[in-house]
């Protein structure tokens, strides 16, 4: 499992989504009671809201954390750009001390490496395993609802 970047947020969000989705196993019982009371349209409405809630339980935390991480990364990258420009300007000023020149070049490499490291961090917690679990958690209540409609038409 890849834990780089914000994948831990995606992992936690998808587990919450799966937890919400597991309650859809009670939908057949809800439809059973709705058939006897004639409130099927209300139950379908509640099911639609429930499916939307499942999706939002994943989307909301990942979007919030992603935006904050993006702002933080952008500020760090801007600081590193300024450091790079400063060190590069110092390199172009003549200096007779070779050790000082070498230190400036090493500092330039360090800043560039830090910039590349921060720039390469993945801010989206979307991996194939997370996306398949998200699709499954949303499809489960939909399939149960379709199955219930099909069964009620047959009976």
């Amino acid at each position: 499992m890849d834990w780089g970047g914000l994948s831990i947020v995606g992992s936690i969000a998808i587990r919450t989504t799966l937890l919400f989705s597991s309650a859809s196993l009670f939908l057949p019982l809800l439809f059973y009671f709705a058939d006897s009371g004639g409130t099927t349209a209300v139950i379908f409405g509640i099911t639609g809201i429930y499916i939307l809630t499942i999706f939002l339980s994943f989307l909301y935390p990942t979007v919030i954390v992603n935006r904050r991480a993006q702002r933080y990364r952008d500020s760090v990258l801007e600081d590193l750009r300024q450091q790079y420009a400063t060190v590069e300007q110092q390199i172009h000023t003549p200096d007779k001390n070779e050790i000082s020149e070498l230190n400036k070049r090493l500092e330039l490499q360090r800043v560039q490496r830090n910039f590349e490291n921060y720039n390469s961090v993945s801010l989206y917690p979307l991996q194939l395993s997370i996306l398949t679990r998200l699709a499954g958690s949303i499809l489960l209540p939909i399939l149960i609802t379709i199955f219930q409609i099909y069964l009620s038409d047959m009976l």
Side-chain angles (χ1 to χ4, degrees):
M1 182 176 277
D2 179 26
W3 292 101
L6 295 178
S7 61
I8 189 71
V9 174
S11 179
I12 291 171
I14 197 62
R15 288 180 183 179
T16 303
T17 303
L18 290 171
L19 182 65
F20 280 136
S21 180
S22 66
S24 65
L25 297 174
F26 290 105
L27 286 177
L29 182 64
L30 196 61
F31 285 118
Y32 174 75
F33 290 131
D35 282 342
S36 62
T39 58
T40 307
V42 173
I43 299 300
F44 283 123
I46 291 171
T47 303
I49 292 170
Y50 173 67
I51 292 168
L52 183 64
T53 303
I54 290 171
F55 182 68
L56 290 177
S57 72
F58 175 79
L59 190 65
Y60 181 74
T62 56
V63 167
I64 295 296
V65 170
N66 182 279
R67 286 183 183 169
R68 288 186 183 166
Q70 182 72 39
R71 282 194 302 259
Y72 176 75
R73 183 175 79 170
D74 289 346
S75 71
V76 169
L77 289 176
E78 186 57 36
D79 289 344
L80 289 171
R81 280 186 197 103
Q82 291 173 359
Q83 287 178 19
Y84 187 87
T86 303
V87 173
E88 192 173 44
Q89 185 179 17
Q90 290 174 356
I91 287 176
H92 293 303
T93 58
D95 192 2
K96 298 190 187 230
N97 188 353
E98 289 182 18
I99 294 177
S100 176
E101 182 74 22
L102 180 62
N103 284 339
K104 289 177 188 177
R105 293 206 181 271
L106 289 173
E107 177 67 15
L108 190 66
Q109 286 178 350
R110 184 193 66 79
V111 170
Q112 186 174 13
R113 188 174 49 250
N114 284 344
F115 182 87
E116 290 169 359
N117 287 342
Y118 270 100
N119 199 30
S120 68
V121 171
S122 172
L123 294 181
Y124 290 98
L126 301 179
Q127 299 170 343
L128 185 59
S129 64
I130 290 175
L131 289 176
T132 55
R133 284 189 259 169
L134 177 63
S137 66
I138 292 173
L139 287 176
L140 180 64
I142 292 172
L143 291 175
I144 288 174
T145 304
I146 291 171
F147 186 69
Q148 184 64 31
I149 292 170
Y150 180 72
L151 274 181
S152 66
D153 287 344
M154 292 193 62
L155 299 175

